[in-house]
Amino acid sequence: MKEIEQLNHTIIEFYEKLSSWEQSVVRDKGFTLPQVHIVEILGVHGAMRMKDLADKIGVTTGTLTVQVDKMVNSDLILRRPHESDRRSILVELTDKGHEMYQEHDNLHLALTHDITAKLDDTERRNLLSYLQKMNHEF
């Protein structure tokens, strides 16, 4: 098998394993994966316009509105008018949303620690560099 094919299969395998882990963690908490992804994005980036958030997760604003409505009702996020653009609505995490973000981020940190435990510092730095380069291509 060619090296690029091996790399392709290995990336797919990693994605499937990570997705499976993510599904099991989310399922145990009673939230949907899209809701957790929204919390992760807002936790990292802070308040965002609905349109920007929709673009970031790859859905329409209409689809996002359905999720946001549920999350507002669950007290995870809140909507507020944009200060300088009256047509835009910002969404941001509530205190409960921040707690959920922190808890989920800690699970990710633990997983990252576990799956990189056998790498030395140089290998970790190289992996970080490679992943950053790959992410830049998106």
Side-chain angles (χ1 to χ4, degrees), residues 9-22:
H9 293 299
T10 302
I11 289 172
I12 291 169
E13 179 183 0
F14 182 79
Y15 171 78
E16 289 170 348
K17 287 179 178 181
L18 185 60
S19 294
S20 177
W21 175 87
E22 188 85 41

mmCIF file of all heavy atoms in Angstrom, residues 9-22:
data_model
loop_
_atom_site.group_PDB
_atom_site.id
_atom_site.type_symbol
_atom_site.label_atom_id
_atom_site.label_comp_id
_atom_site.label_asym_id
_atom_site.label_seq_id
_atom_site.Cartn_x
_atom_site.Cartn_y
_atom_site.Cartn_z
ATOM 1 N N HIS A 9 -5.873 6.104 5.554
ATOM 2 C CA HIS A 9 -6.590 5.148 6.409
ATOM 3 C C HIS A 9 -6.330 5.421 7.892
ATOM 4 O O HIS A 9 -7.235 5.269 8.720
ATOM 5 C CB HIS A 9 -6.211 3.709 6.043
ATOM 6 C CG HIS A 9 -6.687 3.300 4.688
ATOM 7 N ND1 HIS A 9 -8.016 3.277 4.333
ATOM 8 C CD2 HIS A 9 -6.004 2.923 3.584
ATOM 9 C CE1 HIS A 9 -8.146 2.896 3.079
ATOM 10 N NE2 HIS A 9 -6.932 2.679 2.586
ATOM 11 N N THR A 10 -5.116 5.837 8.203
ATOM 12 C CA THR A 10 -4.784 6.122 9.598
ATOM 13 C C THR A 10 -5.521 7.357 10.097
ATOM 14 O O THR A 10 -6.023 7.381 11.231
ATOM 15 C CB THR A 10 -3.262 6.291 9.756
ATOM 16 O OG1 THR A 10 -2.622 5.089 9.304
ATOM 17 C CG2 THR A 10 -2.882 6.557 11.198
ATOM 18 N N ILE A 11 -5.607 8.394 9.260
ATOM 19 C CA ILE A 11 -6.368 9.593 9.636
ATOM 20 C C ILE A 11 -7.838 9.243 9.837
ATOM 21 O O ILE A 11 -8.462 9.673 10.816
ATOM 22 C CB ILE A 11 -6.197 10.710 8.587
ATOM 23 C CG1 ILE A 11 -4.784 11.288 8.643
ATOM 24 C CG2 ILE A 11 -7.233 11.828 8.807
ATOM 25 C CD1 ILE A 11 -4.457 12.253 7.520
ATOM 26 N N ILE A 12 -8.396 8.458 8.934
ATOM 27 C CA ILE A 12 -9.801 8.046 9.062
ATOM 28 C C ILE A 12 -10.008 7.235 10.332
ATOM 29 O O ILE A 12 -10.974 7.458 11.079
ATOM 30 C CB ILE A 12 -10.255 7.256 7.816
ATOM 31 C CG1 ILE A 12 -10.325 8.209 6.620
ATOM 32 C CG2 ILE A 12 -11.599 6.565 8.061
ATOM 33 C CD1 ILE A 12 -10.492 7.509 5.284
ATOM 34 N N GLU A 13 -9.111 6.302 10.624
ATOM 35 C CA GLU A 13 -9.225 5.492 11.835
ATOM 36 C C GLU A 13 -9.179 6.374 13.087
ATOM 37 O O GLU A 13 -9.967 6.207 14.021
ATOM 38 C CB GLU A 13 -8.098 4.455 11.886
ATOM 39 C CG GLU A 13 -8.141 3.585 13.125
ATOM 40 C CD GLU A 13 -6.976 2.605 13.212
ATOM 41 O OE1 GLU A 13 -6.114 2.579 12.313
ATOM 42 O OE2 GLU A 13 -6.935 1.861 14.217
ATOM 43 N N PHE A 14 -8.248 7.342 13.097
ATOM 44 C CA PHE A 14 -8.148 8.249 14.238
ATOM 45 C C PHE A 14 -9.432 9.058 14.395
ATOM 46 O O PHE A 14 -9.962 9.200 15.501
ATOM 47 C CB PHE A 14 -6.940 9.184 14.092
ATOM 48 C CG PHE A 14 -6.778 10.104 15.263
ATOM 49 C CD1 PHE A 14 -6.206 9.641 16.444
ATOM 50 C CD2 PHE A 14 -7.221 11.410 15.208
ATOM 51 C CE1 PHE A 14 -6.069 10.474 17.535
ATOM 52 C CE2 PHE A 14 -7.089 12.251 16.299
ATOM 53 C CZ PHE A 14 -6.514 11.783 17.465
ATOM 54 N N TYR A 15 -9.948 9.585 13.285
ATOM 55 C CA TYR A 15 -11.186 10.355 13.321
ATOM 56 C C TYR A 15 -12.335 9.506 13.882
ATOM 57 O O TYR A 15 -13.109 9.975 14.725
ATOM 58 C CB TYR A 15 -11.540 10.870 11.922
ATOM 59 C CG TYR A 15 -12.908 11.490 11.856
ATOM 60 C CD1 TYR A 15 -13.134 12.775 12.330
ATOM 61 C CD2 TYR A 15 -13.995 10.776 11.351
ATOM 62 C CE1 TYR A 15 -14.396 13.339 12.296
ATOM 63 C CE2 TYR A 15 -15.255 11.333 11.309
ATOM 64 C CZ TYR A 15 -15.451 12.614 11.786
ATOM 65 O OH TYR A 15 -16.705 13.151 11.762
ATOM 66 N N GLU A 16 -12.448 8.263 13.420
ATOM 67 C CA GLU A 16 -13.528 7.390 13.891
ATOM 68 C C GLU A 16 -13.402 7.101 15.381
ATOM 69 O O GLU A 16 -14.397 7.103 16.114
ATOM 70 C CB GLU A 16 -13.547 6.099 13.076
ATOM 71 C CG GLU A 16 -14.027 6.315 11.649
ATOM 72 C CD GLU A 16 -13.826 5.112 10.737
ATOM 73 O OE1 GLU A 16 -13.108 4.158 11.123
ATOM 74 O OE2 GLU A 16 -14.387 5.139 9.629
ATOM 75 N N LYS A 17 -12.180 6.857 15.836
ATOM 76 C CA LYS A 17 -11.970 6.592 17.268
ATOM 77 C C LYS A 17 -12.276 7.835 18.105
ATOM 78 O O LYS A 17 -12.920 7.744 19.152
ATOM 79 C CB LYS A 17 -10.546 6.119 17.515
ATOM 80 C CG LYS A 17 -10.305 4.707 17.035
ATOM 81 C CD LYS A 17 -8.875 4.263 17.270
ATOM 82 C CE LYS A 17 -8.705 2.827 16.825
ATOM 83 N NZ LYS A 17 -7.331 2.344 17.062
ATOM 84 N N LEU A 18 -11.831 8.992 17.643
ATOM 85 C CA LEU A 18 -12.100 10.234 18.355
ATOM 86 C C LEU A 18 -13.600 10.530 18.373
ATOM 87 O O LEU A 18 -14.160 10.911 19.406
ATOM 88 C CB LEU A 18 -11.329 11.394 17.726
ATOM 89 C CG LEU A 18 -11.415 12.739 18.443
ATOM 90 C CD1 LEU A 18 -10.875 12.645 19.866
ATOM 91 C CD2 LEU A 18 -10.664 13.793 17.661
ATOM 92 N N SER A 19 -14.260 10.317 17.251
ATOM 93 C CA SER A 19 -15.711 10.541 17.174
ATOM 94 C C SER A 19 -16.469 9.607 18.108
ATOM 95 O O SER A 19 -17.415 10.019 18.777
ATOM 96 C CB SER A 19 -16.210 10.350 15.743
ATOM 97 O OG SER A 19 -15.682 11.335 14.906
ATOM 98 N N SER A 20 -16.043 8.359 18.150
ATOM 99 C CA SER A 20 -16.688 7.387 19.031
ATOM 100 C C SER A 20 -16.513 7.784 20.495
ATOM 101 O O SER A 20 -17.462 7.735 21.293
ATOM 102 C CB SER A 20 -16.092 6.002 18.788
ATOM 103 O OG SER A 20 -16.633 5.067 19.665
ATOM 104 N N TRP A 21 -15.306 8.209 20.850
ATOM 105 C CA TRP A 21 -15.049 8.677 22.217
ATOM 106 C C TRP A 21 -15.934 9.872 22.528
ATOM 107 O O TRP A 21 -16.569 9.938 23.576
ATOM 108 C CB TRP A 21 -13.565 9.045 22.365
ATOM 109 C CG TRP A 21 -13.238 9.646 23.692
ATOM 110 C CD1 TRP A 21 -12.912 8.974 24.834
ATOM 111 C CD2 TRP A 21 -13.211 11.043 24.018
ATOM 112 N NE1 TRP A 21 -12.690 9.879 25.852
ATOM 113 C CE2 TRP A 21 -12.862 11.161 25.379
ATOM 114 C CE3 TRP A 21 -13.444 12.205 23.294
ATOM 115 C CZ2 TRP A 21 -12.740 12.376 26.031
ATOM 116 C CZ3 TRP A 21 -13.325 13.430 23.939
ATOM 117 C CH2 TRP A 21 -12.981 13.502 25.289
ATOM 118 N N GLU A 22 -15.986 10.833 21.587
ATOM 119 C CA GLU A 22 -16.779 12.046 21.779
ATOM 120 C C GLU A 22 -18.257 11.698 21.970
ATOM 121 O O GLU A 22 -18.915 12.220 22.866
ATOM 122 C CB GLU A 22 -16.606 12.971 20.576
ATOM 123 C CG GLU A 22 -17.225 14.319 20.739
ATOM 124 C CD GLU A 22 -16.337 15.307 21.458
ATOM 125 O OE1 GLU A 22 -15.130 15.331 21.198
ATOM 126 O OE2 GLU A 22 -16.859 16.056 22.296
#
